[in-house]
Amino acid sequence: MSYAVRDASRSRVVLALVVISLGISFAAVLASASILNGFESILDQGAINDSGDIIIGPAGTSTALTNIAAITDKLDVMPNVSSWSIRTYALGSIHYKNKYINPLTIRGIDPKKEDETTHLSSELVSGTYLSDDKPHDIILGTELADSLVGQSYDTKRITVGETIDASFLGAPYPESYRVAGIFDAKNFVPNWILYLDKKQLDIAAPFLKDAEISITLKDTSLLEKTKAEIQDAFPDARVLTWKDNAGYVTDIVSVVHFITYTINRLLIVAVFVIICVIIFISVLQKRRQIGIMKSMGASRLFIIAVYMFETLVYSILAYGIGFALFYAIYLSSIAHPISTLIGDFMLVFDITNIEQTSLTLLIASCMGSFVPAYMAARTEIINVLHE
Amino acid sequence: MENERTLISNYIRESRALNIQDQDIARNLLSAGWEAGILEQAFSQFQERNIIMAIRGLYKEYSISDDLVIAALNGIAELNIYEGEFLAITGQSGSGKSTLLNILGFIDSPSRGEIYLNGIEVSQMTERQKTKYRLQTLSYIFQFFNLLENYTALENITFQLKLNGVGPFKAKKKALEVLDFLGLKDRAHNYPSQLSGGQQQRLAIGRAIAKEVPLLFADEPTAHLDTQNAEQVMLLLREVNARYGKTIILVTHEPSYARMADRIVHLSDGRVTQVEEIKSTQTIDWPQLVQEAVLARGTRPLDGKS
């Protein structure tokens, strides 16, 4: 060990360059793994914000849940259910000045219950939330509000307090509604939805009344178990987790996973090659020293161990630098998240991920050093002592 | 009685290290009052000749091309190396002396032939076995010193000792003793590059003797030293042989240094052409010495034999 440390520290400039380059590679590997987690996190959170943890809907061809009171009574006594919100759906169209949007998903909610379940009020970017005593108030998602004025994504929106005309499929005539607020759910599906009081929608368009129940859990680690319990309790209903419901999230995460995984693995290969080259050069430079050590009686195992320990020295120093660099990037991403349509992107500091990545890098480093170390161990004394 | 024998043996060993002839050593001991019988027993142990290494029909050939083979060793039919002797191998450049040394030191392998170490045939050992022998049986001194550049003089010796399984504290103590013996104690914390050529070679010898192995191979250890340093190194080797009883096999092309050995093996074209005895033929004329002692003391013979 002491020989390895001495050997590694002999040329401080080389040591610094090696450790810095390895450290940057380590930081890149850690960051690439965290990028995936970051994407997963915002996509997952966007989906959860929209649907809650679990969705109960009608099974088969039914469009609405029956015996809703019995369902909610049972939900109230389930230990892992935190809150629930019944939703009514309608298809419709809205008209504002010269803009006409059709078809459009309209969601009727109990403002209080929905807020307990999906915290919709916290997503408001302007205006106020729905209230029971203002049945003709509506709130719009940002994308929908944006589309009613000018071009899409030009940041011009309908303003709070203005009135739009809405008509619902099955309703006899359009009605006027006041825009009470605009919300950003950080998810493009709810951001294209118009929300209004469920009681109002149940009257205006009862066709998809009580179409689903959104449920929030106390302990999300019991998601699948709770889903099974609910399904057992309501065999005639269709019970989905937010993951089942938001299939697009899985698709996007799969793509992002493929990209980041590829980059991550390529970086690990790069680390392997860097270590391999460093140790190989080190071995070439020290062929005579290796010959001397062997002539003194050092075994092949000893020579291999020296270079493996040397790699360990490089790796430990590089880990320090790499981790510090990654942590700086992480803190920066927390302080300045990148705002996107699907949410605010930032790196995720996941200890398990860091542990796994570090272990993978350590294995890559060891493997990278083993090949040249083995070559070093096979050095013929007779060939190098007179160099 | 045992203490007396040890005392006498040490005196003989150290006197021999100073190149004092056995006859003179015996004379000194007799005049100091030691009995001739005890002295004869003590000298006899220095004259026993146990074979430590033996060579039979040794060849080393290099294939240059399909039809061109060069023989570095062209059949050394029989050569015995005795325990505790100082053997010099000499010959012209290209005579095969370094090749022979490398083969005996497990640094190279023979093409054919047999090598016996303490009666065990060792010419076709595996790399692992060779490593074990290099560690436990022999030391090597090279003409280019071959010290560990990143280690101080002290660390060069402790590194060797640690390789041999000596604990760090014992290793340091022993290394300092060796450096003291070499006159390099004040250079203990110098790196090889900060030492002169002679000091580096002395350090290499120190590393070799610290190891406490029976065989010491020296390949032209004076080749890159000036005359004064070369002579110091040769005297040091002579002293190591006498004081520590190590078998030394020295390769040199310098006849005067070869003559400091007990025997000289002359090589030419990869063959042994002559084995010259230098010191092992020393005989002690005990009756004459005892008589001298009696006359000097003016009293009866010390052991009653003369």
Side-chain angles (χ1 to χ4, degrees), chain B residues 170-233:
Chain B
K170 267 190 172 179
K172 188 177 177 184
K173 186 167 176 273
K174 174 97 189 265
L176 285 170
E177 283 170 12
V178 171
L179 287 172
D180 194 24
F181 166 69
L182 298 167
L184 290 174
K185 199 169 183 181
D186 58 333
R187 298 297 205 133
H189 300 291
N190 285 109
Y191 288 91
S193 59
Q194 297 167 319
L195 302 175
S196 70
Q199 287 171 327
Q200 286 189 52
Q201 195 59 292
R202 272 152 59 200
L203 177 59
I205 293 170
R207 189 176 68 185
I209 61 174
K211 204 173 170 184
E212 291 191 355
V213 288
L215 281 161
L216 198 160
F217 294 87
D219 186 6
E220 304 258 22
T222 58
H224 291 87
L225 300 178
D226 58 40
T227 310
Q228 192 184 351
N229 276 313
E231 281 173 3
Q232 280 182 0
V233 163

Side-chain angles (χ1 to χ4, degrees), chain A residues 194-239:
Chain A
L194 181 155
Y195 283 79
L196 79 162
D197 192 313
K198 181 175 180 296
K199 293 193 290 291
Q200 179 67 17
L201 191 60
D202 285 347
I203 297 165
F207 187 57
L208 294 174
K209 185 186 174 192
D210 301 334
E212 67 182 25
I213 301 174
S214 167
I215 299 166
T216 299
L217 303 181
K218 290 172 184 165
D219 182 358
T220 53
S221 67
L222 302 173
L223 182 69
E224 292 296 335
K225 184 171 176 279
T226 310
K227 174 195 169 186
E229 285 171 4
I230 295 171
Q231 186 67 76
D232 287 346
F234 314 115
D236 295 335
R238 184 168 57 98
V239 182

Side-chain angles (χ1 to χ4, degrees), chain B residues 119-186:
Chain B
I120 300 165
E121 214 287 307
V122 291
S123 63
Q124 302 302 326
M125 286 190 304
T126 62
E127 181 58 33
R128 188 185 291 246
Q129 289 170 318
K130 281 183 184 177
T131 301
K132 189 181 166 194
Y133 273 101
R134 278 196 295 265
L135 185 67
Q136 296 176 351
T137 314
L138 59 93
S139 297
Y140 226 101
I141 300 165
F142 301 92
Q143 58 178 305
F144 294 106
F145 322 134
N146 285 342
L147 298 164
L148 295 169
E149 293 156 17
N150 302 332
Y151 275 23
T152 63
L154 180 71
E155 289 166 340
N156 259 279
I157 297 174
T158 54
F159 181 82
Q160 175 69 77
L161 290 168
K162 285 176 193 169
L163 266 185
N164 282 74
V166 179
F169 296 109
K170 267 190 172 179
K172 188 177 177 184
K173 186 167 176 273
K174 174 97 189 265
L176 285 170
E177 283 170 12
V178 171
L179 287 172
D180 194 24
F181 166 69
L182 298 167
L184 290 174
K185 199 169 183 181
D186 58 333

Side-chain angles (χ1 to χ4, degrees), chain A residues 320-339:
Chain A
I321 289 175
F323 184 77
L325 198 57
F326 164 72
Y327 198 69
I329 296 168
Y330 164 72
L331 290 179
S332 171
S333 85
I334 296 288
H336 309 287
I338 301 166
S339 188

Side-chain angles (χ1 to χ4, degrees), chain A residues 6-75:
Chain A
R6 184 74 60 93
D7 209 35
S9 60
R10 190 173 59 137
S11 174
R12 288 183 185 158
V13 176
V14 173
L15 176 68
L17 289 172
V18 164
V19 167
I20 289 168
S21 58
L22 266 181
I24 291 168
S25 302
F26 287 175
V29 174
L30 288 172
S32 68
S34 296
I35 286 169
L36 174 64
N37 285 356
F39 265 108
E40 274 189 306
S41 174
I42 58 170
L43 286 167
D44 292 355
Q45 203 52 53
I48 293 167
N49 285 350
D50 176 39
S51 64
D53 297 315
I54 288 176
I55 294 280
I56 304 176
T61 54
S62 301
T63 55
L65 290 162
T66 54
N67 202 7
I68 196 90
I71 295 174
T72 54
D73 285 348
K74 277 196 179 177
L75 288 176

Side-chain angles (χ1 to χ4, degrees), chain A residues 157-271:
Chain A
R157 291 174 184 160
I158 188 168
T159 52
V160 170
E162 292 193 76
T163 303
I164 62 167
D165 294 329
S167 59
F168 311 121
L169 190 66
Y173 47 84
E175 289 193 49
S176 292
Y177 292 91
R178 188 183 79 93
V179 177
I182 295 168
F183 65 89
D184 182 2
K186 298 294 182 186
N187 182 326
F188 44 79
V189 174
N191 278 0
W192 267 99
I193 288 179
L194 181 155
Y195 283 79
L196 79 162
D197 192 313
K198 181 175 180 296
K199 293 193 290 291
Q200 179 67 17
L201 191 60
D202 285 347
I203 297 165
F207 187 57
L208 294 174
K209 185 186 174 192
D210 301 334
E212 67 182 25
I213 301 174
S214 167
I215 299 166
T216 299
L217 303 181
K218 290 172 184 165
D219 182 358
T220 53
S221 67
L222 302 173
L223 182 69
E224 292 296 335
K225 184 171 176 279
T226 310
K227 174 195 169 186
E229 285 171 4
I230 295 171
Q231 186 67 76
D232 287 346
F234 314 115
D236 295 335
R238 184 168 57 98
V239 182
L240 302 173
T241 65
W242 66 268
K243 287 180 185 174
D244 303 329
N245 194 48
Y248 67 93
V249 169
T250 312
D251 291 345
I252 295 170
V253 166
S254 296
V255 172
V256 175
H257 181 263
F258 172 77
I259 295 166
T260 52
Y261 186 85
T262 305
I263 293 169
N264 191 278
R265 289 303 175 266
L266 286 173
L267 284 167
I268 287 169
V269 171
V271 167

